[in-house]
Coordinates of all heavy atoms in Angstrom, one line a residue:
M1 N -78.2 -41.9 -34.4 CA -76.8 -42.0 -34.8 C -76.3 -43.5 -34.5 O -76.7 -44.1 -33.5 CB -76.0 -41.0 -33.9 CG -74.6 -40.9 -34.3 SD -74.1 -39.3 -33.5 CE -72.5 -39.4 -33.5
T2 N -75.4 -43.9 -35.2 CA -74.9 -45.2 -35.1 C -74.0 -45.4 -33.8 O -73.5 -44.3 -33.4 CB -74.1 -45.7 -36.3 OG1 -73.0 -44.9 -36.5 CG2 -75.0 -45.7 -37.6
A3 N -73.8 -46.5 -33.4 CA -72.9 -46.8 -32.2 C -71.5 -46.3 -32.4 O -70.8 -45.8 -31.6 CB -73.0 -48.2 -31.8
K4 N -71.0 -46.4 -33.7 CA -69.7 -46.0 -34.0 C -69.7 -44.7 -34.9 O -70.3 -44.7 -36.0 CB -69.0 -47.1 -34.8 CG -67.6 -46.9 -35.0 CD -66.9 -48.0 -35.7 CE -65.4 -47.7 -36.0 NZ -64.8 -48.8 -36.6
K5 N -69.1 -43.7 -34.4 CA -69.0 -42.5 -35.2 C -68.1 -42.6 -36.4 O -67.2 -43.4 -36.4 CB -68.4 -41.3 -34.3 CG -69.4 -40.8 -33.4 CD -68.7 -39.5 -32.7 CE -69.7 -38.8 -31.8 NZ -69.1 -37.7 -31.3
K6 N -68.4 -41.8 -37.4 CA -67.4 -41.8 -38.5 C -66.1 -41.3 -38.1 O -66.0 -40.4 -37.3 CB -68.1 -40.9 -39.6 CG -69.4 -41.5 -40.3 CD -69.9 -40.7 -41.4 CE -71.0 -41.4 -42.0 NZ -71.6 -40.6 -43.1
W7 N -65.1 -41.7 -38.8 CA -63.7 -41.3 -38.5 C -63.6 -39.8 -38.7 O -62.9 -39.1 -37.9 CB -62.7 -42.0 -39.2 CG -62.6 -41.7 -40.7 CD1 -63.4 -42.4 -41.7 CD2 -62.0 -40.7 -41.3 NE1 -63.1 -41.8 -42.9 CE2 -62.3 -40.7 -42.7 CE3 -61.1 -39.6 -40.9 CZ2 -61.8 -39.8 -43.6 CZ3 -60.7 -38.7 -41.8 CH2 -61.0 -38.9 -43.1
S8 N -64.2 -39.3 -39.6 CA -64.1 -37.8 -39.9 C -64.7 -36.9 -38.8 O -64.2 -35.9 -38.5 CB -64.7 -37.4 -41.3 OG -66.1 -37.8 -41.3
A9 N -65.8 -37.4 -38.2 CA -66.4 -36.7 -37.1 C -65.4 -36.8 -35.9 O -65.3 -35.8 -35.1 CB -67.7 -37.3 -36.7
E10 N -64.8 -37.8 -35.7 CA -63.8 -38.1 -34.6 C -62.6 -37.1 -34.8 O -62.2 -36.4 -33.9 CB -63.3 -39.5 -34.5 CG -62.5 -39.8 -33.4 CD -63.2 -39.9 -32.1 OE1 -64.5 -40.0 -32.1 OE2 -62.6 -39.8 -31.0
V11 N -62.1 -37.0 -36.0 CA -61.0 -36.1 -36.3 C -61.4 -34.6 -36.1 O -60.7 -33.9 -35.4 CB -60.6 -36.2 -37.8 CG1 -59.7 -35.1 -38.3 CG2 -59.9 -37.5 -38.1
T12 N -62.6 -34.3 -36.4 CA -63.1 -32.9 -36.3 C -63.3 -32.5 -34.8 O -62.9 -31.4 -34.4 CB -64.4 -32.7 -37.1 OG1 -64.2 -33.0 -38.4 CG2 -64.9 -31.3 -37.0
E13 N -63.7 -33.5 -34.1 CA -64.0 -33.2 -32.6 C -62.8 -33.2 -31.8 O -62.7 -32.5 -30.7 CB -65.0 -34.2 -32.2 CG -66.5 -34.0 -32.6 CD -67.4 -35.0 -32.2 OE1 -67.1 -35.8 -31.3 OE2 -68.5 -35.1 -32.9
H14 N -61.9 -34.1 -32.0 CA -60.8 -34.4 -31.1 C -59.4 -34.1 -31.5 O -58.4 -34.3 -30.9 CB -60.8 -35.8 -30.6 CG -62.2 -36.2 -29.9 ND1 -62.5 -35.7 -28.7 CD2 -63.2 -36.9 -30.3 CE1 -63.7 -36.0 -28.4 NE2 -64.2 -36.8 -29.4
S15 N -59.3 -33.6 -32.8 CA -57.9 -33.2 -33.3 C -57.7 -31.8 -33.0 O -58.4 -31.1 -32.3 CB -57.9 -33.5 -34.8 OG -58.6 -32.5 -35.4
D16 N -56.6 -31.3 -33.5 CA -56.3 -29.8 -33.4 C -56.9 -29.1 -34.5 O -56.5 -28.0 -34.8 CB -54.8 -29.6 -33.4 CG -54.2 -30.1 -32.1 OD1 -54.8 -29.9 -31.1 OD2 -53.0 -30.7 -32.2
A17 N -58.1 -29.5 -34.9 CA -59.0 -28.9 -35.9 C -59.5 -27.7 -35.2 O -59.7 -27.5 -34.0 CB -60.0 -29.8 -36.4
M18 N -59.9 -26.7 -36.1 CA -60.6 -25.4 -35.7 C -61.9 -25.7 -35.1 O -62.6 -26.7 -35.5 CB -60.6 -24.4 -36.8 CG -59.3 -24.1 -37.4 SD -59.5 -22.9 -38.7 CE -60.7 -23.7 -39.8
N19 N -62.5 -24.8 -34.3 CA -63.9 -24.8 -33.9 C -64.6 -24.1 -35.0 O -64.4 -22.9 -35.2 CB -64.0 -24.1 -32.6 CG -63.3 -24.8 -31.4 OD1 -63.3 -26.0 -31.4 ND2 -62.6 -24.0 -30.7
L20 N -65.5 -24.8 -35.7 CA -66.2 -24.2 -36.8 C -67.6 -23.7 -36.5 O -68.3 -24.3 -35.6 CB -66.3 -25.2 -38.0 CG -64.9 -25.7 -38.5 CD1 -65.2 -26.7 -39.6 CD2 -64.3 -24.5 -39.2
E21 N -68.1 -22.8 -37.3 CA -69.5 -22.4 -37.2 C -70.4 -23.6 -37.6 O -70.1 -24.3 -38.6 CB -69.7 -21.2 -38.1 CG -71.1 -20.6 -38.1 CD -71.3 -19.5 -39.1 OE1 -70.3 -18.8 -39.4 OE2 -72.3 -19.3 -39.7
E22 N -71.5 -23.8 -36.8 CA -72.4 -24.9 -37.2 C -72.9 -24.9 -38.7 O -73.3 -23.8 -39.1 CB -73.6 -24.9 -36.3 CG -73.3 -25.2 -34.9 CD -73.2 -26.7 -34.6 OE1 -74.0 -27.5 -35.3 OE2 -72.5 -27.2 -33.7
H23 N -72.9 -25.9 -39.4 CA -73.4 -26.1 -40.7 C -72.9 -25.1 -41.8 O -73.5 -24.8 -42.8 CB -74.9 -26.0 -40.7 CG -75.6 -26.9 -39.7 ND1 -75.7 -28.2 -39.9 CD2 -76.1 -26.7 -38.5 CE1 -76.3 -28.8 -38.9 NE2 -76.5 -27.9 -38.0
I24 N -71.7 -24.6 -41.6 CA -71.1 -23.5 -42.5 C -70.9 -24.1 -43.9 O -71.1 -23.4 -44.8 CB -69.8 -23.0 -41.9 CG1 -69.4 -21.8 -42.8 CG2 -68.7 -24.0 -41.8 CD1 -70.4 -20.7 -42.9
F25 N -70.5 -25.4 -44.0 CA -70.3 -25.9 -45.4 C -71.6 -26.2 -46.1 O -71.5 -26.6 -47.3 CB -69.5 -27.2 -45.2 CG -68.0 -27.0 -44.7 CD1 -67.7 -27.6 -43.5 CD2 -67.2 -26.3 -45.4 CE1 -66.4 -27.3 -43.1 CE2 -65.9 -26.0 -45.0 CZ -65.5 -26.5 -43.8
E26 N -72.7 -26.0 -45.5 CA -74.0 -26.2 -46.2 C -74.5 -24.9 -46.9 O -75.4 -24.9 -47.6 CB -75.1 -26.6 -45.2 CG -74.8 -28.0 -44.6 CD -75.7 -28.4 -43.5 OE1 -76.8 -27.7 -43.3 OE2 -75.5 -29.3 -42.8
S27 N -73.8 -23.8 -46.6 CA -74.1 -22.5 -47.2 C -73.8 -22.5 -48.7 O -72.9 -23.2 -49.2 CB -73.2 -21.4 -46.6 OG -73.4 -20.2 -47.3
G28 N -74.7 -21.8 -49.4 CA -74.5 -21.6 -50.8 C -73.7 -20.4 -51.2 O -73.6 -20.1 -52.5
D29 N -73.2 -19.7 -50.3 CA -72.4 -18.5 -50.5 C -71.0 -18.7 -50.2 O -70.6 -18.8 -49.0 CB -73.0 -17.4 -49.6 CG -72.4 -16.0 -49.8 OD1 -71.4 -15.9 -50.5 OD2 -73.0 -15.0 -49.3
A30 N -70.1 -18.7 -51.2 CA -68.7 -19.0 -51.1 C -68.1 -17.9 -50.2 O -67.2 -18.3 -49.4 CB -68.0 -18.9 -52.5
K31 N -68.4 -16.6 -50.3 CA -67.8 -15.6 -49.5 C -68.2 -15.8 -48.0 O -67.4 -15.6 -47.1 CB -68.4 -14.2 -50.0 CG -67.7 -13.6 -51.2 CD -68.2 -12.3 -51.5 CE -67.5 -11.8 -52.8 NZ -67.6 -10.3 -53.0
K32 N -69.4 -16.2 -47.7 CA -69.9 -16.5 -46.4 C -69.0 -17.7 -45.8 O -68.6 -17.6 -44.6 CB -71.3 -16.9 -46.3 CG -71.9 -17.1 -44.9 CD -73.3 -17.4 -44.9 CE -73.8 -17.7 -43.5 NZ -75.3 -18.0 -43.5
I33 N -68.8 -18.7 -46.6 CA -68.0 -19.9 -46.1 C -66.6 -19.4 -45.8 O -66.0 -19.7 -44.7 CB -68.0 -21.0 -47.1 CG1 -69.4 -21.5 -47.3 CG2 -66.9 -22.1 -46.7 CD1 -69.6 -22.5 -48.5
A34 N -66.0 -18.6 -46.7 CA -64.6 -18.2 -46.5 C -64.5 -17.2 -45.3 O -63.5 -17.4 -44.5 CB -64.1 -17.4 -47.8
A35 N -65.4 -16.3 -45.1 CA -65.4 -15.4 -44.0 C -65.5 -16.2 -42.7 O -64.8 -15.9 -41.7 CB -66.5 -14.4 -44.1
S36 N -66.4 -17.2 -42.6 CA -66.5 -18.0 -41.4 C -65.3 -18.8 -41.1 O -64.8 -18.8 -40.0 CB -67.7 -18.9 -41.6 OG -67.9 -19.7 -40.4
L37 N -64.7 -19.4 -42.1 CA -63.4 -20.1 -42.0 C -62.3 -19.2 -41.5 O -61.5 -19.5 -40.6 CB -63.0 -20.8 -43.2 CG -63.8 -22.0 -43.5 CD1 -63.5 -22.5 -44.9 CD2 -63.6 -23.1 -42.6
K38 N -62.3 -18.0 -42.0 CA -61.2 -17.0 -41.6 C -61.4 -16.6 -40.2 O -60.5 -16.6 -39.4 CB -61.3 -15.7 -42.5 CG -60.2 -14.7 -42.2 CD -60.3 -13.6 -43.2 CE -59.1 -12.8 -43.1 NZ -59.1 -11.7 -42.1
R39 N -62.7 -16.3 -39.7 CA -62.9 -16.0 -38.4 C -62.6 -17.1 -37.5 O -61.9 -16.9 -36.4 CB -64.4 -15.7 -38.2 CG -64.9 -14.2 -38.4 CD -66.3 -14.0 -37.9 NE -67.3 -15.0 -38.3 CZ -67.9 -14.9 -39.5 NH1 -67.6 -13.8 -40.4 NH2 -68.7 -15.8 -39.9
S40 N -63.0 -18.3 -37.8 CA -62.7 -19.4 -37.0 C -61.2 -19.7 -36.8 O -60.7 -20.0 -35.7 CB -63.3 -20.7 -37.6 OG -64.7 -20.6 -37.6
A41 N -60.4 -19.6 -37.9 CA -59.0 -19.8 -37.9 C -58.3 -18.8 -37.0 O -57.4 -19.1 -36.3 CB -58.5 -19.8 -39.4
E42 N -58.7 -17.5 -37.2 CA -58.1 -16.4 -36.4 C -58.4 -16.5 -34.9 O -57.6 -16.1 -34.1 CB -58.5 -15.1 -37.0 CG -57.9 -14.9 -38.4 CD -58.3 -13.6 -39.0 OE1 -59.3 -13.1 -38.7 OE2 -57.6 -13.2 -39.9
H43 N -59.5 -17.1 -34.5 CA -59.9 -17.1 -33.2 C -59.7 -18.4 -32.5 O -59.9 -18.6 -31.2 CB -61.3 -16.6 -33.0 CG -61.5 -15.2 -33.4 ND1 -62.0 -14.8 -34.6 CD2 -61.2 -14.1 -32.7 CE1 -62.0 -13.5 -34.6 NE2 -61.5 -13.0 -33.5
S44 N -59.3 -19.5 -33.2 CA -59.2 -20.8 -32.7 C -57.9 -21.0 -31.8 O -56.9 -20.5 -32.2 CB -59.2 -21.8 -33.7 OG -59.0 -23.1 -33.2
D45 N -58.1 -21.6 -30.7 CA -56.9 -22.0 -29.9 C -56.5 -23.4 -30.1 O -55.7 -24.0 -29.4 CB -57.1 -21.6 -28.4 CG -58.4 -22.4 -27.9 OD1 -59.0 -23.1 -28.6 OD2 -58.6 -22.2 -26.6
R46 N -57.2 -24.1 -31.1 CA -56.9 -25.5 -31.3 C -56.1 -25.8 -32.5 O -55.8 -26.9 -32.8 CB -58.3 -26.2 -31.5 CG -59.1 -26.3 -30.3 CD -60.5 -26.8 -30.5 NE -60.4 -28.3 -31.0 CZ -61.3 -29.0 -31.6 NH1 -62.4 -28.3 -31.9 NH2 -61.0 -30.2 -32.0
R47 N -55.7 -24.7 -33.2 CA -55.0 -24.9 -34.5 C -53.4 -24.9 -34.2 O -53.0 -24.2 -33.2 CB -55.3 -23.9 -35.5 CG -54.9 -22.5 -35.2 CD -55.3 -21.5 -36.3 NE -55.1 -20.2 -35.8 CZ -54.1 -19.5 -35.6 NH1 -52.9 -20.1 -35.8 NH2 -54.1 -18.3 -35.1
K48 N -52.7 -25.6 -35.0 CA -51.2 -25.6 -34.9 C -50.5 -24.8 -35.9 O -49.5 -24.3 -35.8 CB -50.7 -27.0 -34.9 CG -51.0 -27.8 -33.7 CD -50.4 -29.2 -33.7 CE -50.7 -30.0 -32.5 NZ -50.1 -31.3 -32.6
A49 N -51.2 -24.6 -37.1 CA -50.6 -23.9 -38.2 C -51.0 -22.4 -38.2 O -51.9 -22.0 -37.4 CB -51.0 -24.6 -39.5
E50 N -50.6 -21.7 -39.2 CA -51.1 -20.3 -39.4 C -52.5 -20.3 -39.8 O -53.1 -21.4 -40.3 CB -50.2 -19.7 -40.5 CG -48.8 -19.4 -40.2 CD -48.7 -18.5 -39.0 OE1 -49.3 -17.4 -39.0 OE2 -47.8 -18.8 -38.1
P51 N -53.3 -19.2 -39.5 CA -54.7 -19.2 -39.8 C -55.1 -19.5 -41.3 O -56.0 -20.3 -41.4 CB -55.1 -17.8 -39.5 CG -54.1 -17.3 -38.5 CD -52.8 -18.0 -38.9
F52 N -54.3 -19.1 -42.2 CA -54.6 -19.4 -43.7 C -54.6 -20.9 -43.9 O -55.5 -21.5 -44.5 CB -53.9 -18.6 -44.5 CG -54.0 -19.0 -46.0 CD1 -55.1 -18.6 -46.7 CD2 -53.1 -19.8 -46.7 CE1 -55.3 -19.1 -48.1 CE2 -53.2 -20.3 -47.9 CZ -54.4 -19.9 -48.7
Q53 N -53.5 -21.4 -43.5 CA -53.2 -22.9 -43.7 C -54.3 -23.7 -43.0 O -54.8 -24.7 -43.6 CB -51.9 -23.3 -43.2 CG -51.5 -24.7 -43.6 CD -50.1 -25.1 -43.1 OE1 -49.3 -24.3 -42.6 NE2 -49.7 -26.4 -43.3
S54 N -54.7 -23.4 -41.8 CA -55.6 -24.1 -41.0 C -57.1 -24.0 -41.7 O -57.8 -25.0 -41.8 CB -55.8 -23.6 -39.6 OG -54.6 -23.8 -38.9
A55 N -57.4 -22.8 -42.1 CA -58.7 -22.6 -42.8 C -58.8 -23.4 -44.1 O -59.8 -24.0 -44.4 CB -59.0 -21.2 -43.0
M56 N -57.7 -23.3 -44.9 CA -57.7 -24.0 -46.2 C -57.7 -25.4 -46.0 O -58.3 -26.2 -46.7 CB -56.5 -23.5 -47.1 CG -56.5 -24.1 -48.5 SD -57.9 -23.5 -49.5 CE -57.4 -21.8 -49.8
S57 N -57.0 -25.9 -45.0 CA -56.9 -27.4 -44.7 C -58.3 -27.9 -44.3 O -58.7 -29.0 -44.7 CB -55.9 -27.6 -43.7 OG -54.6 -27.4 -44.0
M58 N -59.1 -27.2 -43.6 CA -60.4 -27.6 -43.1 C -61.3 -27.7 -44.3 O -62.1 -28.6 -44.4 CB -60.9 -26.7 -42.0 CG -62.2 -27.2 -41.4 SD -62.1 -28.8 -40.7 CE -61.1 -28.5 -39.3
L59 N -61.2 -26.7 -45.2 CA -62.0 -26.6 -46.4 C -61.7 -27.9 -47.2 O -62.5 -28.6 -47.7 CB -61.8 -25.3 -47.2 CG -62.7 -25.1 -48.4 CD1 -64.1 -25.3 -48.2 CD2 -62.4 -23.7 -48.9
N60 N -60.4 -28.1 -47.5 CA -60.0 -29.3 -48.3 C -60.4 -30.6 -47.6 O -60.8 -31.6 -48.3 CB -58.5 -29.3 -48.6 CG -58.1 -28.3 -49.6 OD1 -58.8 -28.2 -50.7 ND2 -57.1 -27.6 -49.4
F61 N -60.3 -30.6 -46.3 CA -60.7 -31.9 -45.6 C -62.2 -32.2 -45.8 O -62.6 -33.3 -46.1 CB -60.5 -31.6 -44.1 CG -60.9 -32.7 -43.2 CD1 -60.3 -33.9 -43.1 CD2 -62.1 -32.6 -42.5 CE1 -60.7 -34.9 -42.3 CE2 -62.6 -33.6 -41.6 CZ -61.9 -34.7 -41.6
Y62 N -63.0 -31.1 -45.8 CA -64.5 -31.3 -46.0 C -64.7 -31.8 -47.4 O -65.5 -32.7 -47.7 CB -65.2 -30.0 -45.7 CG -66.7 -30.2 -45.9 CD1 -67.5 -30.8 -44.9 CD2 -67.3 -29.9 -47.1 CE1 -68.8 -31.0 -45.1 CE2 -68.7 -30.0 -47.3 CZ -69.4 -30.6 -46.3 OH -70.8 -30.8 -46.5
I63 N -64.0 -31.2 -48.4 CA -64.3 -31.5 -49.8 C -63.8 -33.0 -50.1 O -64.5 -33.8 -50.7 CB -63.5 -30.5 -50.8 CG1 -64.1 -29.2 -50.8 CG2 -63.5 -31.1 -52.2 CD1 -63.3 -28.1 -51.4
N64 N -62.7 -33.3 -49.5 CA -62.2 -34.7 -49.7 C -63.0 -35.7 -49.0 O -63.1 -36.8 -49.4 CB -60.7 -34.7 -49.3 CG -59.7 -33.9 -50.2 OD1 -60.1 -33.7 -51.3 ND2 -58.6 -33.5 -49.6
R65 N -63.5 -35.3 -47.8 CA -64.3 -36.2 -47.0 C -65.5 -36.6 -47.7 O -66.0 -37.8 -47.8 CB -64.7 -35.6 -45.7 CG -65.5 -36.6 -44.8 CD -65.8 -35.9 -43.5 NE -66.7 -34.8 -43.7 CZ -67.1 -34.0 -42.8 NH1 -66.7 -34.1 -41.5 NH2 -68.0 -33.1 -43.0
A66 N -66.1 -35.6 -48.4 CA -67.4 -35.9 -49.3 C -67.1 -36.7 -50.5 O -67.9 -37.5 -51.0 CB -68.0 -34.6 -49.7
G67 N -65.9 -36.6 -51.1 CA -65.5 -37.3 -52.2 C -66.5 -37.3 -53.3 O -67.0 -36.3 -53.7
K68 N -66.8 -38.5 -53.9 CA -67.7 -38.6 -55.1 C -69.1 -38.3 -54.7 O -69.9 -38.2 -55.6 CB -67.6 -40.0 -55.6 CG -66.2 -40.2 -56.3 CD -66.0 -41.7 -56.9 CE -64.7 -41.9 -57.4 NZ -64.6 -43.2 -57.9
N69 N -69.4 -38.3 -53.5 CA -70.8 -38.0 -53.0 C -71.2 -36.6 -53.1 O -72.3 -36.2 -52.9 CB -71.1 -38.6 -51.6 CG -70.9 -40.1 -51.6 OD1 -71.2 -40.8 -52.6 ND2 -70.4 -40.7 -50.5
L70 N -70.1 -35.7 -53.2 CA -70.4 -34.3 -53.2 C -71.0 -33.9 -54.6 O -70.3 -34.0 -55.6 CB -69.1 -33.6 -53.0 CG -69.2 -32.0 -52.8 CD1 -70.0 -31.7 -51.5 CD2 -67.8 -31.5 -52.5
P71 N -72.2 -33.3 -54.6 CA -72.8 -32.9 -55.8 C -71.9 -31.8 -56.6 O -71.3 -31.0 -55.9 CB -74.1 -32.4 -55.5 CG -74.5 -32.9 -54.1 CD -73.1 -33.2 -53.5
Q72 N -71.9 -31.8 -57.8 CA -71.1 -30.8 -58.6 C -71.4 -29.4 -58.2 O -70.5 -28.6 -58.2 CB -71.4 -31.1 -60.2 CG -70.3 -30.3 -61.0 CD -69.0 -30.9 -60.8 OE1 -68.7 -32.0 -60.5 NE2 -68.0 -29.9 -61.0
E73 N -72.6 -29.1 -58.0 CA -73.0 -27.7 -57.6 C -72.3 -27.3 -56.3 O -71.9 -26.2 -56.1 CB -74.5 -27.5 -57.5 CG -75.0 -26.1 -57.3 CD -76.4 -26.0 -57.3 OE1 -77.1 -26.5 -58.2 OE2 -77.0 -25.3 -56.4
R74 N -72.3 -28.2 -55.3 CA -71.8 -28.0 -54.0 C -70.2 -27.9 -54.1 O -69.6 -27.0 -53.5 CB -72.0 -29.1 -53.0 CG -73.5 -29.3 -52.5 CD -74.0 -28.1 -51.7 NE -73.1 -27.7 -50.7 CZ -72.7 -26.4 -50.4 NH1 -73.3 -25.4 -51.0 NH2 -72.0 -26.2 -49.4
R75 N -69.7 -28.8 -54.9 CA -68.2 -28.8 -55.2 C -67.8 -27.3 -55.8 O -66.8 -26.8 -55.4 CB -67.8 -29.9 -56.1 CG -66.3 -29.9 -56.3 CD -65.8 -31.1 -57.1 NE -66.2 -32.3 -56.5 CZ -65.3 -32.9 -55.5 NH1 -64.2 -32.3 -55.1 NH2 -65.7 -34.1 -55.0
K76 N -68.6 -26.8 -56.7 CA -68.3 -25.5 -57.4 C -68.3 -24.4 -56.3 O -67.4 -23.6 -56.2 CB -69.3 -25.2 -58.4 CG -69.0 -24.0 -59.2 CD -70.1 -23.8 -60.3 CE -69.9 -22.6 -61.1 NZ -70.3 -21.3 -60.5
V77 N -69.3 -24.4 -55.4 CA -69.4 -23.4 -54.3 C -68.1 -23.5 -53.4 O -67.5 -22.5 -53.0 CB -70.7 -23.5 -53.5 CG1 -70.6 -22.6 -52.3 CG2 -71.9 -23.2 -54.4
L78 N -67.8 -24.7 -53.0 CA -66.7 -24.9 -52.1 C -65.3 -24.6 -52.8 O -64.4 -24.0 -52.1 CB -66.7 -26.4 -51.6 CG -67.9 -26.6 -50.7 CD1 -67.9 -28.2 -50.4 CD2 -67.9 -25.8 -49.5
E79 N -65.2 -24.8 -54.1 CA -64.0 -24.5 -54.8 C -63.9 -23.0 -54.9 O -62.9 -22.3 -54.8 CB -63.9 -25.1 -56.2 CG -63.7 -26.6 -56.2 CD -62.4 -27.1 -55.6 OE1 -61.4 -26.2 -55.8 OE2 -62.3 -28.2 -55.2
E80 N -65.0 -22.3 -55.1 CA -65.1 -20.8 -55.1 C -64.8 -20.3 -53.8 O -64.0 -19.2 -53.6 CB -66.5 -20.3 -55.5 CG -66.8 -20.5 -57.0 CD -68.3 -20.2 -57.3 OE1 -69.0 -19.8 -56.5 OE2 -68.6 -20.4 -58.5
A81 N -65.1 -21.0 -52.7 CA -64.7 -20.5 -51.4 C -63.2 -20.6 -51.2 O -62.7 -19.8 -50.4 CB -65.4 -21.5 -50.4
K82 N -62.6 -21.4 -51.8 CA -61.1 -21.5 -51.8 C -60.5 -20.1 -52.3 O -59.6 -19.5 -51.6 CB -60.4 -22.5 -52.5 CG -60.6 -24.0 -52.0 CD -60.0 -25.0 -52.8 CE -60.1 -26.4 -52.3 NZ -59.4 -27.3 -53.2
D83 N -61.0 -19.7 -53.4 CA -60.6 -18.5 -54.0 C -60.9 -17.3 -53.0 O -60.2 -16.3 -52.9 CB -61.1 -18.2 -55.3 CG -60.6 -19.1 -56.4 OD1 -59.4 -19.6 -56.2 OD2 -61.2 -19.4 -57.4
E84 N -62.1 -17.3 -52.5 CA -62.5 -16.3 -51.6 C -61.7 -16.2 -50.3 O -61.3 -15.2 -49.8 CB -64.0 -16.5 -51.2 CG -64.9 -16.2 -52.3 CD -65.0 -14.8 -52.8 OE1 -64.6 -13.8 -52.1 OE2 -65.4 -14.6 -54.0
L85 N -61.3 -17.4 -49.9 CA -60.4 -17.5 -48.7 C -59.1 -16.9 -49.0 O -58.6 -16.2 -48.1 CB -60.3 -19.0 -48.2 CG -59.7 -19.3 -46.9 CD1 -60.5 -18.7 -45.8 CD2 -59.8 -20.8 -46.7
R86 N -58.5 -17.3 -50.1 CA -57.3 -16.7 -50.6 C -57.4 -15.1 -50.6 O -56.5 -14.5 -50.1 CB -56.8 -17.2 -51.9 CG -56.4 -18.6 -51.9 CD -55.8 -19.1 -53.2 NE -55.6 -20.5 -53.2 CZ -56.4 -21.5 -53.7 NH1 -57.6 -21.0 -54.2 NH2 -56.1 -22.7 -53.6
A87 N -58.4 -14.7 -51.1 CA -58.5 -13.2 -51.2 C -58.7 -12.6 -49.8 O -58.1 -11.5 -49.5 CB -59.8 -12.9 -52.0
A88 N -59.4 -13.3 -49.0 CA -59.6 -12.8 -47.6 C -58.3 -12.7 -46.8 O -58.2 -11.8 -45.9 CB -60.6 -13.6 -46.8
F89 N -57.4 -13.5 -47.1 CA -56.1 -13.6 -46.5 C -55.0 -12.8 -47.3 O -53.8 -12.8 -46.9 CB -55.6 -15.0 -46.2 CG -56.1 -15.5 -44.9 CD1 -57.3 -16.4 -45.0 CD2 -55.7 -15.3 -43.7 CE1 -57.9 -16.9 -43.9 CE2 -56.2 -15.8 -42.5 CZ -57.3 -16.7 -42.6
G90 N -55.5 -12.2 -48.3 CA -54.5 -11.4 -49.2 C -53.5 -12.3 -50.0 O -52.4 -11.8 -50.3
R91 N -53.9 -13.5 -50.3 CA -53.1 -14.4 -51.0 C -53.5 -14.4 -52.5 O -54.6 -14.1 -52.9 CB -53.2 -15.9 -50.5 CG -53.0 -16.0 -49.0 CD -51.5 -16.0 -48.8 NE -51.2 -16.1 -47.4 CZ -50.7 -17.2 -46.8 NH1 -50.3 -18.3 -47.6 NH2 -50.3 -17.3 -45.5
P92 N -52.5 -14.6 -53.4 CA -52.8 -14.6 -54.8 C -53.7 -15.8 -55.3 O -53.6 -16.8 -54.6 CB -51.5 -14.8 -55.5 CG -50.6 -15.4 -54.5 CD -51.1 -14.9 -53.1
K93 N -54.6 -15.5 -56.2 CA -55.5 -16.5 -56.7 C -54.7 -17.5 -57.5 O -53.8 -17.2 -58.3 CB -56.6 -15.8 -57.6 CG -57.6 -16.8 -58.1 CD -58.7 -16.1 -58.9 CE -59.7 -17.0 -59.5 NZ -60.7 -16.3 -60.2
Q94 N -55.0 -18.8 -57.4 CA -54.4 -19.8 -58.1 C -55.1 -20.2 -59.3 O -56.3 -20.2 -59.3 CB -54.2 -21.1 -57.2 CG -53.3 -20.9 -56.1 CD -53.0 -22.3 -55.4 OE1 -53.7 -23.2 -55.5 NE2 -51.9 -22.2 -54.6
D95 N -54.4 -20.4 -60.5 CA -55.0 -20.8 -61.7 C -55.4 -22.2 -61.8 O -54.9 -23.0 -61.2 CB -54.2 -20.3 -62.9 CG -54.1 -18.8 -62.9 OD1 -55.0 -18.2 -62.6 OD2 -52.9 -18.3 -63.3

């Protein structure tokens, strides 16, 4: 590891971000990602917003952090995880 951590790792470790399951964003299963984010959001004592907003924000943070380096197949799974997360919280699917 380099002497200086990436800013995104610093944000994840020291902000009011949720405590996440290890390597959850590496999963190829959108439902598994959404379920894990939901569990983390509901049980976290580090979040400031409602569970749904915190979970969706963390998912968007990860997608945005990867940027153009995120392979299309991974992006597709993570975008599907957004829909699964909405469904898990009983929110309407966005078009």
Side-chain angles (χ1 to χ4, degrees):
M1 188 162 165
T2 62
K4 185 175 179 182
K5 283 187 173 182
K6 292 184 179 181
W7 68 269
S8 55
E10 188 72 19
V11 167
T12 303
E13 290 175 13
H14 299 292
S15 72
D16 286 322
M18 301 177 307
N19 298 315
L20 298 175
E21 180 181 331
E22 292 274 330
H23 307 288
I24 188 56
F25 294 116
E26 295 172 14
S27 173
D29 184 348
K31 284 187 180 190
K32 181 178 177 182
I33 294 169
S36 178
L37 286 170
K38 184 175 191 273
R39 269 192 311 276
S40 294
E42 291 176 337
H43 294 101
S44 178
D45 58 356
R46 294 175 63 200
R47 65 176 168 76
K48 289 185 177 179
E50 293 297 316
F52 172 75
Q53 183 179 358
S54 293
M56 188 63 76
S57 292
M58 188 57 71
L59 183 53
N60 281 318
F61 174 76
Y62 182 82
I63 292 169
N64 292 338
R65 181 179 72 182
K68 293 179 183 177
N69 296 326
L70 189 62
Q72 192 63 29
E73 185 176 313
R74 293 293 313 135
R75 182 175 298 277
K76 183 176 184 281
V77 170
L78 295 171
E79 291 294 333
E80 288 172 2
K82 287 182 182 182
D83 290 334
E84 293 295 337
L85 193 57
R86 287 184 189 97
F89 278 100
R91 303 286 178 110
K93 184 177 178 180
Q94 292 186 342
D95 295 324

